[in-house]
Amino acid sequence: MNQIHRLFEGIEPYASGYLEVGEHKIYYEECGNPKGKPAVFLHGGPGARVVPAHYDFFNPKLFFSILFDQRGCGKSKPFCELKNNDIQNLIL
């Protein structure tokens, strides 16, 4: 059985919530050092979401990482909504 090797064990988000953007609520998580260098993580897609392995991209002692699920993906609401969910709106 394959076991996933984690670079930084035990990282858990210490804050999460939603950013309200029009009819969308974009889910986010915060990890690492709140006084560290800020890093924003953009997951792949379409239809992907943040997963615990993404926390490992940033050393939690050095970085304050903010990870979010794109509009219509993961825990963002409404799920699979395409209204106002295009390239232009994704980068704003």
Side-chain angles (χ1 to χ4, degrees), residues 7 42 45 48 58-59 80:
L7 187 57
L42 308 172
F58 307 99
N59 182 326
C80 289

Side-chain angles (χ1 to χ4, degrees), residues 26-27 41-52 54 67-80 85 90:
I26 300 171
Y27 177 77
F41 178 77
L42 308 172
H43 67 72
R49 63 183 175 89
V50 171
V51 295
H54 294 149
L67 305 91
F68 66 93
D69 290 337
Q70 295 174 12
R71 295 174 193 225
C73 298
K75 294 181 182 178
S76 290
K77 300 175 184 178
F79 184 68
C80 289
N85 190 358
L90 289 173

Side-chain angles (χ1 to χ4, degrees), residues 21 23-24 26 71 82-92:
V21 182
E23 64 274 4
H24 291 270
I26 300 171
R71 295 174 193 225
L82 296 178
K83 181 180 177 189
N84 293 324
N85 190 358
D86 55 27
I87 294 295
Q88 188 61 34
N89 284 305
L90 289 173
I91 60 174
L92 296 177

